[in-house]
Amino acid sequence: MIGGIGALQFKPAIDGAEAGSPGLLQGGVGTQASESVGSSFAEVLSHAATKTVNTLQGAEQMSIQALKGDADTRQVVDAVLSAQQALQTTIAIRDKVVSAYLEISRMNI
């Protein structure tokens, strides 16, 4: 169901190593020098979007397993709450990016 979202691809603005930030949506901010060297803004956004989609797909799979009787209720609640938090974080990032774009577009040159 959510599989169509996973095809999100961002073209990197700067060529560099695939560093990414592994803790971007799980409490980390990715501010360590070793994580941010060689990664562009597009790569970071791509990594965050991929991680969010994976979290949503995991929650969906856990819900399906619960319907089959293979998963505990607590596991389903944990997966769904994690997916909700990841989605809210992604929406907040999107809103900030759109706000920054609109502010830049209103600047006088």
Side-chain angles (χ1 to χ4, degrees), residues 23-93:
L24 189 63
L25 295 177
Q26 298 296 327
V29 251
T31 57
Q32 294 179 352
S34 65
E35 291 179 358
S36 63
V37 173
S39 64
S40 69
F41 183 66
E43 289 172 341
V44 171
L45 282 180
S46 176
H47 180 71
T50 302
K51 194 165 189 174
T52 300
V53 168
N54 290 340
T55 303
L56 293 172
Q57 288 174 342
E60 185 179 30
Q61 290 299 321
M62 188 63 66
S63 298
I64 291 171
Q65 287 178 1
L67 290 173
K68 292 178 182 177
D70 297 335
D72 186 22
T73 305
R74 183 177 181 275
Q75 293 173 327
V76 175
V77 170
D78 286 344
V80 169
L81 288 177
S82 176
Q84 180 183 11
Q85 182 180 14
L87 187 60
Q88 287 175 345
T89 302
T90 303
I91 290 170
I93 291 170

Side-chain angles (χ1 to χ4, degrees), residues 8-9 11 13-14 30 90 97 104:
L8 250 143
Q9 294 292 325
K11 184 176 179 183
I14 301 172
T90 303
V97 168
I104 289 171

